[in-house]
Amino acid sequence: MERKNRNWLYLVPVAGAVFCLWYLYTSFYDVVYSDYIRLVNSYLPDVWNPAKFWVPDLLTRVPVNFLARIINTTFFHYSIRFDQVLGVVSLALSAVSVTYYVNRKQIGTIWFLAVMAVMFSLNKWEMLNNGSGWVHFLAFAGFYYHYQIWDRVWGGEERKGDHLQMILLPWILILAVAGPYCAVYVAVLIAGYAFCMAVTWKREKRLEKRYLLYGLSVLLPFFCYLWSNAQVVPDWSGYGAAQGSLFQNLFRIPGYFIRFVLKSLASVVTGQELAKSMWSTNLPYLAVGIFVAAAYLLALYLQFSRKLYETTVFPLVMLVSGAMNHALILVSRWSFLVEDYGMSSRYALQFQVGVVGILLTLALCWKECQKAERQVIWRGVAVLVTAIFLLGNIVTTRKELQTAPYRKELCVKRAETALDFENKTDDELRAEFEFRTSWDQSGAMVRNALTILKENHWNVFHQ
């Protein structure tokens, strides 16, 4: 069947990017805070100093950040806006990959718009506002792009250069862009390549050796990253509040882990701020979390019962990646003993991958299923699941738009404090700039960072 030309769909990611930029204009004033205090102290003002680049733990510092800092300080006076724009553009690039997939698979426009509403939801407000995380948006754009190439190769639509890209992309993304986000990316690729080999063997009784090469091209750069990560010298004492290992606590306080997981799942429907404003007990959180878990299971059931994976792996890869990100946050953050920690906006970018996988799976099934009477119930379930995800993200976005002016007010107040930082105490600086570490010198570090910026006429000190 001839494919319809729907290139106009690419205007939607552009519109989403414009929306996010408008949101940032209403929610942020250009002044450093939080992670930027550490970055200024670590890398400024001598951004050209090779000694700060060629360090054993270079890969954990994400090399592309060094180039971005050079450009930012040289042309934009170390503006947070510059980093925020990079983040929004990277988010739009992820959306472009999904748009390409929707076009290639001729998925319905309504389904496409639902996916875009999730991708540009403001449940990611913290990542959008804190420009230092822009590179994580870029990493996910790279992941989405790689998954698209993989999907073409698997679906028999391979183009010239796809084989080479399958080999080179992990090297580029793991070593230069992804940083700690490469863990799930690597796990998904290795498991996925093994799955593709197993399916090919079962279907054709032959060993698809190219996936061995692809797997090796993932493991080699990942081992380089692990070596670099082993060189990191921790700059904090202690980690979390829990005593004992994960497994010891799993048997001691199993309810905590269940609530942690269900609340993190719930966050993809209702953001943390919205949920806290609506619910005073755990029951609604857990109910929404159970719904999201059921949606994951439904999508996986459809993938295997209808054998969607035989022609396309992109939605299945997204599903597995989303589930792994939930597991990763549990493993890495449980020790703080805060059960709604996984609801933080900073993790929405990781979690939304799974929602995109769910919606694309439903969309493929909707497209392929016949209009027989026995399909009526299934269609109703698909509409209900999609509607809940869509409504939750729209309401979350509306809540954040209402909050945006107040966030900007705090930024303006922070800028005023920065301009008068010599007359502020360390405690005032520590609180105002949200820089809290286990160090006793965190207030002094804020003061030192602001001194560097003032001496170089950067950021809020640039006239």
Side-chain angles (χ1 to χ4, degrees):
M1 185 175 66
E2 186 179 352
R3 293 177 180 173
K4 298 178 182 178
N5 187 334
R6 300 187 299 170
N7 288 335
W8 65 268
L9 293 181
Y10 289 100
L11 294 175
V12 177
V14 175
V18 172
F19 168 71
C20 288
L21 291 174
W22 171 77
Y23 160 73
L24 288 170
Y25 174 78
T26 64
S27 68
F28 189 79
Y29 185 84
D30 199 345
V31 58
V32 297
Y33 76 110
S34 187
D35 290 341
Y36 276 100
I37 302 302
R38 175 182 56 82
L39 295 175
V40 171
N41 279 291
S42 299
Y43 301 106
L44 272 58
D46 50 343
V47 292
W48 295 92
N49 185 358
K52 293 190 175 183
F53 182 82
W54 296 112
V55 291
D57 61 340
L58 166 64
L59 301 181
T60 67
R61 305 186 185 204
V62 190
V64 72
N65 269 326
F66 289 85
L67 175 61
R69 270 191 293 271
I70 289 172
I71 295 173
N72 198 350
T73 55
T74 302
F75 299 103
F76 301 101
H77 313 285
Y78 202 64
S79 170
I80 311 307
R81 292 291 190 197
F82 173 74
D83 290 345
Q84 289 176 334
V85 170
L86 291 179
V88 171
V89 170
S90 298
L91 176 61
L93 289 175
S94 295
V96 166
S97 287
V98 175
T99 305
Y100 170 77
Y101 180 81
V102 167
N103 238 351
R104 189 161 63 88
K105 293 298 180 180
Q106 293 292 289
I107 291 172
T109 303
I110 300 299
W111 287 103
F112 166 69
L113 293 176
V115 173
M116 289 295 105
V118 169
M119 293 199 70
F120 289 101
S121 167
L122 294 182
N123 59 0
K124 297 171 285 297
W125 68 266
E126 188 174 357
M127 290 289 287
L128 288 168
N129 277 281
N130 190 347
S132 65
W134 76 269
V135 74
H136 302 317
F137 285 100
L138 180 62
F140 276 89
F143 299 161
Y144 280 47
Y145 179 76
H146 187 177
Y147 299 156
Q148 286 293 342
I149 303 299
W150 179 9
D151 191 79
R152 277 209 308 253
V153 171
W154 175 250
E157 301 179 48
E158 184 175 347
R159 298 179 180 179
K160 183 179 179 180
D162 283 356
H163 178 64
L164 182 61
Q165 289 189 78
M166 289 287 286
I167 295 172
L168 295 181
L169 280 170
W171 288 90
I172 297 170
L173 294 175
I174 294 172
L175 300 184
V177 180
Y181 282 79
C182 72
V184 169
Y185 171 64
V186 169
V188 167
L189 291 180
I190 295 301
Y193 292 164
F195 176 76
C196 288
M197 290 178 66
V199 172
T200 302
W201 177 263
K202 181 179 179 180
R203 188 168 54 193
E204 304 174 20
K205 293 296 184 288
R206 68 180 179 86
L207 181 65
E208 184 58 271
K209 295 180 180 179
R210 68 160 55 190
Y211 285 105
L212 294 175
L213 175 60
Y214 295 160
L216 186 63
S217 298
V218 174
L219 290 177
L220 288 179
F222 183 57
F223 289 150
C224 293
Y225 177 83
L226 291 179
W227 176 85
S228 183
N229 188 63
Q231 313 305 312
V232 174
V233 178
D235 53 7
W236 63 85
S237 57
Y239 182 74
Q243 300 296 320
S245 68
L246 185 152
F247 289 103
Q248 289 173 334
N249 284 277
L250 185 61
F251 292 104
R252 185 175 67 86
I253 46 174
Y256 163 74
F257 288 91
I258 294 173
R259 291 190 298 273
F260 188 107
V261 171
L262 290 178
K263 285 188 173 184
S264 74
L265 287 168
S267 68
V268 301
V269 175
T270 54
Q272 186 177 32
E273 290 75 15
L274 175 65
K276 285 185 175 180
S277 69
M278 295 191 302
W279 304 326
S280 58
T281 66
N282 275 334
L283 187 60
Y285 289 91
L286 303 184
V288 176
I290 291 172
F291 158 76
V292 176
Y296 264 102
L297 294 175
L298 171 64
L300 286 172
Y301 168 75
L302 292 172
Q303 281 285 339
F304 289 96
S305 65
R306 302 191 179 217
K307 297 184 177 181
L308 299 178
Y309 62 84
E310 290 190 345
T311 56
T312 178
V313 293
F314 185 70
L316 181 58
V317 168
M318 300 292 274
L319 280 171
V320 175
S321 179
M324 283 187 174
N325 275 302
H326 281 284
L328 177 66
I329 296 305
L330 173 66
V331 171
S332 61
R333 296 293 183 260
W334 72 270
S335 63
F336 291 101
L337 297 182
V338 179
E339 61 187 38
D340 60 350
Y341 200 105
M343 295 193 75
S344 172
S345 172
R346 74 190 68 172
Y347 305 126
L349 182 65
Q350 296 167 257
F351 294 163
Q352 80 172 13
V353 179
V355 180
V356 172
I358 291 171
L359 296 180
L360 289 179
T361 298
L362 295 177
L364 287 174
C365 290
W366 184 280
K367 175 176 176 286
E368 294 177 3
C369 72
Q370 299 177 357
K371 297 180 180 179
E373 185 177 349
R374 62 186 179 87
Q375 299 289 348
V376 173
I377 296 178
W378 137 246
R379 285 173 176 262
V381 171
V383 169
L384 177 63
V385 170
T386 305
I388 292 176
F389 276 119
L390 193 56
L391 180 62
N393 278 274
I394 289 174
V395 176
T396 296
T397 298
R398 179 174 177 270
K399 172 70 174 177
E400 181 51 34
L401 288 176
Q402 293 172 340
T403 308
Y406 301 102
R407 298 197 193 284
K408 189 165 187 175
E409 286 181 11
L410 290 175
C411 288
V412 171
K413 182 175 179 293
R414 185 177 298 130
E416 293 171 351
T417 301
L419 293 173
D420 190 38
F421 76 93
E422 292 97 338
N423 298 316
K424 303 296 182 181
T425 67
D426 284 358
D427 288 339
E428 287 175 320
L429 294 177
R430 182 187 301 110
E432 187 67 49
F433 290 85
E434 300 180 17
F435 186 67
R436 304 176 184 90
T437 71
S438 59
W439 291 322
D440 295 332
Q441 301 298 318
S442 56
M445 291 184 66
V446 175
R447 188 180 305 280
N448 188 66
L450 294 175
T451 300
I452 292 173
L453 295 175
K454 183 176 181 179
E455 289 175 349
N456 290 275
H457 306 289
W458 286 336
N459 195 246
V460 72
F461 300 99
H462 172 68
Q463 297 299 325

